[in-house]
């Protein structure tokens, strides 16, 4: 049973398109996150939701919009994709104050 | 502004020997430190953590040491095994102010040679 699962694993799309990445966790955690790993391999937080409420919103273009329909799901929608959006996006979840569990990542390639 | 730094991009050790991975941080608000291991095409996997009230935490072959005055932590793996070959990320959080938000270092690629 996968604890944090995200789909798709790979996503290749053209500039200007809109795409979504889905994430689900079955750990019963209250907090979910989106992290981005760029070409330099840095892992940086983008968003955090606690019980469906947005609590962290880093300096991310507003083309990126997270949506949490319930506390087990946190989806990431990206509008008007740009070449610089190419990266690996990781979903994660945790209990507050404890270690985060990560999904396998979604490698997004914008061409 | 890189608040968590891993200055060694790579480390190579012989099987059976000790691996020591280092991490430095600058934010004095950090009170919880973690190490993650990452294989290619997989997500980071939690390895071990330490609270700022401790200076050592041990779990099997893995021990994390924290030196708060130096703002330095290290991960010791002994004995090292070929399956330990992966990228190791140091991470930190300021739980009082930022909850579980993690700030990561840039990672160290560990290679354990048979």
């Amino acid at each position: 049973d996968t604890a944090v699962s995200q789909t798709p694993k790979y996503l290749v799309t053209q500039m200007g398109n809109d795409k979504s990445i889905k994430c689900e966790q079955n750990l019963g955690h209250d907090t979910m996150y989106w992290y981005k790993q760029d070409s330099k391999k840095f892992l940086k937080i983008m968003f955090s939701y606690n019980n469906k409420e947005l609590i962290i919103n880093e300096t991310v273009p507003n083309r990126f919009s997270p949506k949490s329909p319930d506390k087990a799901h946190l989806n990431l929608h990206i509008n008007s994709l740009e070449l610089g959006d190419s990266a690996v996006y990781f979903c994660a979840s945790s209990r507050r104050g404890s270690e985060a569990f990560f999904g396998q990542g979604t490698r997004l390639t914008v061409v | 502004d890189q608040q968590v730094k891993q200055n060694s991009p790579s480390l190579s050790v012989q099987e059976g020997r000790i691996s020591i991975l280092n991490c430095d941080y600058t934010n004095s608000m950090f009170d919880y430190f973690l190490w993650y291991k990452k294989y290619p095409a997989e997500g980071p996997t939690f390895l071990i953590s330490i609270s700022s009230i401790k200076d050592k935490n041990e779990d099997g072959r893995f021990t994390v040491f924290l030196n708060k005055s130096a703002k330095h932590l290290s991960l010791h793996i002994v004995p090292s095994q070929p399956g330990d070959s992966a990228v190791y990320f140091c991470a930190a959080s300021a739980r009082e102010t930022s909850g579980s938000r993690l700030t990561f270092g840039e990672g160290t690629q560990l290679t354990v040679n048979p």
Side-chain angles (χ1 to χ4, degrees):
Chain A
D1 286 344
T2 305
V4 182
S5 60
Q6 53 183 111
T7 55
K9 186 169 183 178
Y10 299 98
L11 183 54
V12 181
T13 188
Q14 289 188 323
M15 282 175 54
N17 283 350
D18 303 339
K19 289 293 178 185
S20 292
I21 306 171
K22 295 186 176 181
C23 179
E24 175 181 5
Q25 55 96 4
N26 62 6
L27 298 167
H29 291 160
D30 289 335
T31 308
M32 295 187 72
Y33 314 82
W34 279 107
Y35 282 83
K36 178 181 178 181
Q37 187 177 34
D38 61 22
S39 57
K40 294 183 179 177
K41 306 301 181 186
F42 285 106
L43 267 162
K44 291 186 178 176
I45 193 165
M46 300 173 68
F47 301 102
S48 173
Y49 269 74
N50 183 264
N51 276 325
K52 302 193 298 175
E53 179 185 347
L54 180 67
I55 55 173
I56 295 175
N57 184 349
E58 284 297 289
T59 309
V60 176
N62 56 17
R63 298 182 294 105
F64 290 77
S65 53
K67 293 226 174 11
S68 181
D70 55 63
K71 73 174 192 177
H73 295 84
L74 180 61
N75 304 322
L76 183 64
H77 189 76
I78 315 169
N79 288 330
S80 304
L81 277 155
E82 300 177 357
L83 292 176
D85 298 331
S86 296
V88 182
Y89 293 85
F90 289 99
C91 176
S93 73
S94 74
R95 283 179 289 127
R96 188 167 175 84
S98 295
E99 67 274 13
F101 291 79
F102 284 80
Q104 64 181 2
T106 296
R107 180 174 292 278
L108 171 65
T109 304
V110 182
V111 297
Chain B
D1 178 25
Q2 188 70 8
Q3 297 185 58
V4 178
K5 294 183 182 180
Q6 295 175 252
N7 291 318
S8 299
S10 63
L11 174 68
S12 183
V13 299
Q14 285 299 121
E15 181 177 6
R17 306 294 290 267
I18 186 170
S19 295
I20 300 176
L21 298 107
N22 293 302
C23 178
D24 297 294
Y25 62 95
T26 57
N27 188 341
S28 57
M29 298 299 292
F30 288 148
D31 57 6
Y32 186 53
F33 304 89
L34 308 90
W35 284 94
Y36 281 82
K37 179 166 84 170
K38 186 182 181 303
Y39 293 118
E42 294 184 11
T45 302
F46 170 72
L47 204 53
I48 192 169
S49 63
I50 188 167
S51 166
S52 59
I53 61 173
K54 295 186 174 182
D55 55 17
K56 177 183 174 181
N57 188 25
E58 191 172 351
D59 184 2
R61 296 186 297 116
F62 302 92
T63 303
V64 56
F65 295 91
L66 175 62
N67 182 335
K68 280 201 307 183
S69 60
K71 293 190 174 67
H72 177 84
L73 64 154
S74 60
L75 175 68
H76 292 210
I77 307 173
V78 54
S80 301
Q81 299 173 353
D84 296 330
S85 297
V87 177
Y88 288 78
F89 288 98
C90 170
S93 70
R95 288 186 292 184
E96 287 295 320
T97 54
S98 303
S100 301
R101 167 207 183 128
L102 296 175
T103 301
F104 282 88
E106 53 270 67
T108 297
Q109 171 70 58
L110 173 66
T111 303
V112 180
N113 301 303

